[in-house]
Amino acid sequence: MPPLTPPPDAHPRAPKLGVPAGAVDTHIHLFGPASHYPFHPDSKYVSQDILPEHAIALQDTLGLGLSIVVSGGGYGRSYQHLADVLRRFPDRFRGVALLPEHVSKDEIAMLDRLGVRGARFVSPQHGAHFPLLSSSDLLERVVAAGWHVQFYPHRTDLPNFKDQLLSLGTDIVLDHFAHIPAEGGVSQPAFRCLLEMLDSGRVWVKLSGPMRCTAEEPPYPRVTPLAQALVRHAPDRLVWGSDWPHVNMSGRTMPNDGDLIDLLLDWAPDEIARHKILVDNPRKLYRLT
């Protein structure tokens, strides 16, 4: 039996940040009810029920208007749970899917109508059972649908995928600061590669999951120079995500989500830049009307 991932902080506090109307959390995961959606046998974790209603309560506390539900590894490459959430709550969520290898064009069109806007792929270092960039037929169908490719690199391996990602002919979204280790700083080759990719005008970066880039405790101070450098370099190509409910945090301090969004006060001190990151950029990326 895989380990039970610890639950998120049950008492998120209202942020100090004046969250602008229409702000979007671009990275959350949902699970359950377990009686209807069992975890995939290969999942590295199981979770208590983390339901849409819980996420909506978090939205209301943080002052957010919408969240992007990203298919996590818990359900493997099934999109059923995501599709059902989007059917039930079309005004509060959009989605990014982990797709089965042989998903049809008709299935992708159905998911698009429900609000899915991208497909998630990962570095093989995160697990070969997830969609990989070597899945050329799947990538072709995703690009043909007008979706973006959300890619999760592994630590310093982003340069290995740079050319392929930029050749795809669609927008690229990199998870969690491109998973670049914060201890390497802004001069490390992987971070310089990230800045070069942003200059293409087709790459976006999620200011999300700082705990995925460092083993530090909150407020993850080594991540701050990376975030500030990204904001200076390409404020029009950044979005923010909470990564709630913060799976696989056993043995670590569970962050409070009010504190997480308040990190933007240090990461993006300029209010105009924060408005882009929280409102304008996600509206463009996820085709929000």
Side-chain angles (χ1 to χ4, degrees), residues 119-204:
R120 196 181 196 197
F121 294 77
V122 304
S123 164
Q125 298 300 315
H126 288 296
H129 54 293
F130 292 127
L132 306 177
L133 294 180
S134 57
S135 302
S136 56
D137 290 344
L138 177 58
L139 277 169
E140 183 177 335
R141 290 191 292 275
V142 167
V143 173
W147 286 3
H148 65 257
V149 168
Q150 182 169 313
F151 182 63
Y152 192 21
H154 185 267
R155 294 185 61 78
T156 60
D157 70 2
L158 178 62
N160 299 340
F161 304 101
K162 173 186 174 184
D163 291 343
Q164 182 183 4
L165 288 167
L166 293 179
S167 73
L168 292 177
T170 194
D171 281 351
I172 308 300
V173 180
L174 299 173
D175 282 353
H176 306 329
F177 293 88
H179 201 232
I180 294 171
E183 63 267 21
V186 298
S187 298
Q188 62 184 302
F191 193 78
R192 295 200 304 269
C193 173
L194 177 59
L195 297 182
E196 292 171 5
M197 292 179 71
L198 283 166
D199 290 340
S200 72
R202 292 194 296 102
V203 174
W204 306 75

Side-chain angles (χ1 to χ4, degrees), residues 29-31 37-45 70-82 96-101 120-122 127-131:
H29 305 293
L30 295 174
F31 305 106
Y37 304 100
F39 277 77
H40 190 275
D42 293 332
S43 177
K44 296 179 180 179
Y45 61 88
V70 177
S71 292
Y75 296 126
R77 297 175 68 168
S78 170
Y79 59 72
Q80 192 60 58
H81 177 265
L82 175 62
V96 172
L98 284 170
L99 294 173
E101 190 70 26
R120 196 181 196 197
F121 294 77
V122 304
H129 54 293
F130 292 127

Side-chain angles (χ1 to χ4, degrees), residues 56-89:
I56 290 170
L58 179 66
Q59 289 176 4
D60 293 344
T61 297
L62 299 184
L64 303 167
L66 192 89
S67 300
I68 309 300
V69 182
V70 177
S71 292
Y75 296 126
R77 297 175 68 168
S78 170
Y79 59 72
Q80 192 60 58
H81 177 265
L82 175 62
D84 289 347
V85 168
L86 297 179
R87 284 191 188 95
R88 291 179 59 209
F89 300 96

Side-chain angles (χ1 to χ4, degrees), residues 199-213:
D199 290 340
S200 72
R202 292 194 296 102
V203 174
W204 306 75
V205 178
K206 289 190 179 185
L207 303 181
S208 63
M211 71 290 294
R212 311 301 176 190
C213 304

